[in-house]
Amino acid sequence: MATADRARSFMKDVKRIIIKVGTAVVTRHDGRIALGRLGALCEQVKELNAQGYEVIMVTSGAVGVGRQRLKYRKLVNSSFADLQKPQMELDGKACAAVGQSGLMALYDMLFTQLDVSSSQLLVTDSDFKNSDFRERLCETVESLLDLKVIPVFNENDAVSTRKAPYEDSSGIFWDNDSLAGLLAIELKADLLVLLSDVDGLYNGPPSDPQSNIIHTYIKEKHHNEITFGDKSRVGRGGMTAKVQAAIVASTSGTPVVITSGFASQSIVNVLRGEKIGTLFHKDASLWEPSKDVTAREMAVAARECSRRLQNLSSDERKKILLDVADALEASEVLIRTENEADVAAAQDAGYEKSLVARLTMKPGKIASLAKSIRTLANMEDPINQILKRMEVAENLVLEKTSCPLGVLLIVFESRPDALVQIASLAIRSGNGLLLKGGKEAMRSNAILHKVIIGAIPDNVGEKLIGLVTSRDEIADLLKLDDVIDLVIPRGSNKLVSQIKASTKIPVLGHADGVCHVYIDKSADMDMAKQIVIDSKIDYPAACNAMETLLVHKYLMKAPGLDDILLTLKTEGVHVYGGPIAHEVLGLPNAASFHHEYSSMACTVEFVDDVHAAIDHIHRYGSAHTDCIVTTDDKVAQTFLRQVDSAAVFHNASTRFSDGARFGLGAEVGISTGRIHARGPVGVEGLLTTRWILRGSGQVVNCDKDVAYTHKILPLQ
């Protein structure tokens, strides 16, 4: 069985489907009706009809059926002498007239055997020029579908007004493929399936072993590299006509799949979202961007664009961010749609609930992100700030100024909102940016990236922010220590460790978020309850959520602790115990103290005092965020001074460890290292410094003529 295709997760929402059956599917190679194939097709239609799908059929084959009948009739009525004469080609209109009734009688018989009703609708090109006709047609189809009757359409070739109906491609439609595309638009179908005698669209002749099927058609990528062979062996269109019809319908909003009508259960499998046939979709270019640009070219382009960004005024850079915020809000519906498709695909794939939670962009998230971007835009411009001024000697002034790092490579998992935060920080800090998100957020990342770069002006260039789509490209990028200045991995311990081991580029980030809350014996237990509950359940999948609750042994029998544990369990938190808590409270054993649950679970353990709590945190923690709840200021001060973590709190939820909550506008990540930046990393963490020396012709000359003053000057 074919694997599920994440790009086809929209199939779950399909209700109305049009199935176009080609002549090559209806007939055998000898021109006779393929009864077995047609019967299997009708069985699929019956199954879909029973499942509540609204099925509309467009069938070819009438001319082929009529030709077989007329050839036989002509043979029966011909003398031996007649048969010796050259045989004239049968009139197509006559073939169509004879074949239509026969083909429809066959459909009616097959559907009747399956207890399904069908109806015939014959149309011509000129019919659709009449708006009243189109309106009546839609009403008729709606009535038939309400009655669960299968409408079967066919072009009425017998009375076609075109002079050469099998060659003339003028008009509203010109064959049953284009008729199917037209009906998909007129009848507002959710999906059009074009059945062919091959598995889909190939990049070469299907019979060539070197040819590969194109599972998703992207016009920009495939339009000029595909060559079409002969038209259908029996029909009028062939693959050329199918592709043209698919492009028209998909551009108008109806997804199209070209697949084999010979394969068993092909239509059912398409609706399951399986990766079969060739998909045409108006947003396909978002899912599979061109990979023509090399990793180095992408990084170099980002650097060039970042230099142009730095040359803008502060107000111009601010306007870009405001435009990004507006663009996100204007595209919220599309963003939510793509994110919901990612979430549905992740759920269908059986991903852990914690990952699905990080992947989900909840209602209000776009508004929250836009608000954060506007806050960032209105902050003081971080670039070219004078941090220090010194008179080195008379008329020789040295300035230490802030400047962008250059090009950042951010590798992140699951959370598409991270893309927005990181991109906005890169713009504010004047850095070029390369982004690689997790495959589970493919559609969300693609649409967010498209919206953001659409707000970047041409005098900077959309290549300021590049979206890496292949894991293979990451390995190439990690080798570019001459072009990329900093790598920030946001994800699992495994991801961070792999990146650190694979590159010479400096890496900023954290591997784990094993955060602690320690309740001291002097704690206000009502306050402790609020802090513990918020730290755990406000967003369990976040890296700043509490994973371990440490409790002073004095509180072992305290009612307040029982209340906290009961509330955790009531909220759905699975509570595990260390050795002491397991014995005293009867909690299930925790597998490890150094464990990031990232879900509704936590570990509880008792400690002797604040010093034991500090030792436990240093031994099992990840130097991310740790909190003490106490009313004893001396104990609090001991904790705050001695816990060696990036963020240490007194009487406050660990969930405050966040760039936006710290007033940084947004964060590119949280660093647990000790070099360059630590804790939530905002704009300042994406900057470095440079020295600017302003002189008036001074030279060193072995320091003979220089009188150094090294006088600190006020900032200007």
Side-chain angles (χ1 to χ4, degrees):
M1 186 180 71
T3 57
D5 183 0
R6 287 169 47 77
R8 305 190 188 197
S9 58
F10 69 87
M11 293 290 181
K12 64 182 176 58
D13 298 319
V14 169
K15 182 181 180 184
R16 179 170 295 180
I17 174 175
I18 294 180
I19 302 168
K20 192 273 173 176
V21 188
T23 303
V25 177
V26 174
T27 61
R28 303 183 314 195
H29 282 281
D30 60 5
R32 297 182 181 276
I33 292 291
L35 279 174
R37 205 153 49 230
L38 210 53
L41 172 65
C42 290
E43 287 183 354
Q44 288 187 76
V45 172
K46 170 193 166 53
E47 182 179 341
L48 298 177
N49 196 39
Q51 292 176 7
Y53 288 97
E54 296 178 346
V55 183
I56 301 165
M57 293 183 64
V58 178
T59 185
S60 297
V63 174
V65 171
R67 181 175 289 113
Q68 282 296 315
R69 290 191 174 187
L70 289 180
K71 278 185 177 180
Y72 174 75
R73 186 53 50 195
K74 186 175 181 181
L75 178 63
V76 169
N77 294 324
S78 297
S79 65
F80 181 76
D82 291 334
L83 294 175
Q84 304 308 306
K85 299 175 183 178
Q87 301 298 302
M88 300 296 292
E89 180 66 30
L90 295 169
D91 176 57
K93 292 182 184 295
C95 292
V98 171
Q100 283 164 0
S101 60
L103 181 62
M104 195 59 219
L106 184 57
Y107 274 115
D108 188 59
M109 179 194 71
L110 291 170
F111 278 127
T112 299
Q113 293 297 314
L114 297 168
D115 196 26
V116 175
S117 297
S118 61
S119 62
Q120 182 182 27
L121 294 96
L122 293 174
V123 294
T124 63
D125 174 79
S126 58
D127 291 333
F128 284 87
K129 298 175 182 178
N130 186 324
S131 59
D132 289 336
F133 168 82
R134 297 203 305 270
E135 185 176 342
R136 297 290 88 76
L137 179 67
C138 291
E139 291 175 355
T140 300
V141 171
E142 292 291 345
S143 297
L144 292 170
L145 294 175
D146 286 343
L147 295 168
K148 300 190 78 68
V149 174
I150 308 298
V152 181
F153 279 87
N154 186 227
E155 180 183 6
N156 193 355
D157 297 320
V159 294
S160 173
T161 57
R162 292 198 298 275
K163 294 180 180 178
Y166 312 114
E167 298 175 4
D168 179 14
S169 61
S170 63
I172 295 177
F173 69 84
W174 49 92
D175 57 20
N176 281 308
D177 289 315
S178 56
L179 170 60
L182 175 62
L183 289 172
I185 300 168
E186 288 283 335
L187 301 175
K188 297 180 173 55
D190 301 313
L191 178 68
L192 168 60
V193 177
L194 300 174
L195 296 179
S196 177
D197 56 353
V198 292
D199 292 332
L201 180 62
Y202 284 77
N203 60 2
S207 58
D208 186 346
Q210 301 301 315
S211 297
N212 296 313
I213 191 170
I214 298 169
H215 283 296
T216 302
Y217 178 87
I218 300 171
K219 185 177 181 180
E220 296 82 359
K221 180 178 179 180
H222 299 123
H223 180 68
N224 293 322
E225 63 182 55
I226 295 174
T227 56
F228 297 98
D230 297 334
K231 72 177 185 68
S232 169
R233 60 177 172 82
V234 283
R236 280 185 282 143
M239 189 56 73
T240 304
K242 287 177 175 56
V243 170
Q244 290 174 345
I247 291 173
V248 170
S250 61
T251 302
S252 299
T254 300
V256 182
V257 174
I258 299 176
T259 190
S260 173
F262 290 21
S264 173
Q265 296 288 295
S266 57
I267 304 170
V268 172
N269 292 336
V270 165
L271 289 167
R272 287 174 180 161
E274 292 183 10
K275 195 172 185 178
I276 60 174
T278 301
L279 171 66
F280 292 72
H281 195 288
K282 65 182 179 66
D283 295 328
S285 59
L286 295 176
W287 309 335
E288 194 176 336
S290 172
K291 298 176 184 176
D292 295 336
V293 180
T294 66
R296 174 171 289 278
E297 289 170 340
M298 188 182 296
V300 170
R303 184 178 292 281
E304 291 174 352
C305 291
S306 73
R307 287 171 176 160
R308 292 197 289 269
L309 177 65
Q310 294 168 40
N311 287 333
L312 298 183
S313 68
S314 177
D315 287 342
E316 288 173 320
R317 284 193 296 273
K318 174 181 177 180
K319 185 179 184 303
I320 294 175
L321 283 175
L322 296 177
D323 289 345
V324 168
D326 291 343
L328 287 170
E329 289 181 329
S331 304
E332 180 172 4
V333 173
L334 181 55
I335 293 169
R336 289 285 303 278
T337 299
E338 297 298 291
N339 181 246
E340 287 168 2
D342 279 334
V343 171
Q347 291 171 334
D348 292 343
Y351 284 111
E352 293 182 2
K353 290 182 179 179
S354 58
L355 184 145
V356 175
R358 290 193 296 271
L359 176 61
T360 304
M361 299 186 75
K362 297 178 181 178
K365 190 64 178 180
I366 298 299
S368 175
L369 289 169
K371 181 180 178 181
S372 296
I373 294 172
R374 293 187 180 106
T375 299
L376 186 63
N378 290 316
M379 292 172 63
E380 184 180 14
D381 190 350
I383 306 176
N384 300 321
Q385 291 292 313
I386 299 175
L387 307 175
K388 183 178 181 180
R389 293 185 75 241
M390 175 188 290
E391 180 190 81
V392 177
E394 185 177 0
N395 294 325
L396 186 63
V397 177
L398 179 66
E399 295 176 347
K400 183 181 183 180
T401 63
S402 61
C403 67
L405 285 169
V407 176
L408 314 174
L409 170 60
I410 316 295
V411 184
F412 59 101
E413 296 177 342
S414 306
R415 290 179 55 187
D417 59 304
L419 185 150
V420 179
Q421 296 182 35
I422 295 164
S424 59
L425 284 167
I427 294 170
R428 196 68 178 109
S429 59
N431 285 291
L433 180 63
L434 302 177
L435 293 160
K436 173 63 177 79
K439 62 180 181 180
E440 63 280 353
M442 173 184 68
R443 294 174 62 123
S444 304
N445 291 336
I447 186 59
L448 287 168
H449 176 255
K450 182 177 181 180
V451 170
I452 291 171
I453 64 172
I456 297 174
D458 292 339
N459 60 342
V460 174
E462 64 178 24
K463 293 182 180 179
L464 174 73
I465 302 174
L467 183 64
V468 181
T469 58
S470 168
R471 290 189 65 178
D472 297 336
E473 292 174 288
I474 290 295
D476 295 333
L477 289 166
L478 290 175
K479 297 174 184 176
L480 303 179
D481 55 305
D482 60 327
V483 186
I484 297 173
D485 301 286
L486 182 67
V487 180
I488 304 179
R490 291 183 58 164
S492 65
N493 188 313
K494 181 180 178 182
L495 171 70
V496 178
S497 299
Q498 285 178 340
I499 288 178
K500 285 183 175 180
S502 306
T503 187
K504 297 178 182 179
I505 306 170
V507 178
L508 182 149
H510 72 278
D512 293 306
V514 184
C515 302
H516 298 75
V517 173
Y518 166 57
I519 304 178
D520 189 54
K521 66 178 181 180
S522 67
D524 178 326
M525 295 304 284
D526 288 334
M527 177 191 295
K529 177 181 175 181
Q530 292 181 10
I531 291 172
V532 169
I533 298 303
D534 184 78
S535 295
K536 181 68 258 182
I537 72 171
D538 181 63
Y539 188 6
C543 62
N544 57 13
M546 180 195 78
E547 305 293 10
T548 300
L549 173 61
L550 299 176
V551 184
H552 194 289
K553 64 181 181 181
Y554 178 82
L555 302 173
M556 200 173 286
K557 303 295 184 180
L561 177 60
D562 292 338
D563 186 29
I564 291 173
L565 296 177
L566 178 61
T567 303
L568 283 171
K569 292 177 182 178
T570 302
E571 292 289 345
V573 178
H574 297 283
V575 181
Y576 299 92
I580 302 174
H582 166 67
E583 183 177 341
V584 174
L585 303 176
L587 297 172
N589 267 317
S592 170
F593 279 129
H594 186 82
H595 182 67
E596 184 177 10
Y597 292 100
S598 296
S599 63
M600 291 286 276
C602 70
T603 299
V604 176
E605 184 58 314
F606 293 104
V607 292
D608 290 341
D609 54 23
V610 67
H611 298 288
I614 293 169
D615 289 343
H616 181 105
I617 291 169
H618 287 166
R619 183 174 182 181
Y620 299 110
S622 59
H624 191 297
T625 302
D626 300 290
C627 160
I628 183 173
V629 184
T630 183
T631 57
D632 188 326
D633 290 340
K634 184 177 179 180
V635 171
Q637 198 63 19
T638 299
F639 188 91
L640 295 174
R641 286 181 176 177
Q642 294 186 21
V643 172
D644 188 16
S645 295
V648 188
F649 297 168
H650 175 208
N651 291 346
S653 169
T654 58
R655 289 281 292 125
F656 279 106
S657 187
D658 175 84
R661 296 186 179 100
F662 277 14
L664 305 180
E667 69 176 34
V668 72
I670 293 182
S671 172
T672 54
R674 290 166 174 77
I675 298 176
H676 176 61
R678 199 175 187 201
V681 180
V683 171
E684 291 181 2
L686 303 181
L687 301 173
T688 185
T689 57
R690 60 180 174 178
W691 296 94
I692 295 176
L693 185 64
R694 304 179 191 276
S696 53
Q698 290 90 342
V699 295
V700 174
N701 192 25
C702 299
D703 292 329
K704 293 177 182 178
D705 301 318
V706 181
Y708 291 102
T709 59
H710 293 150
K711 178 182 177 182
I712 301 298
L713 301 175
L715 301 179
Q716 293 181 348

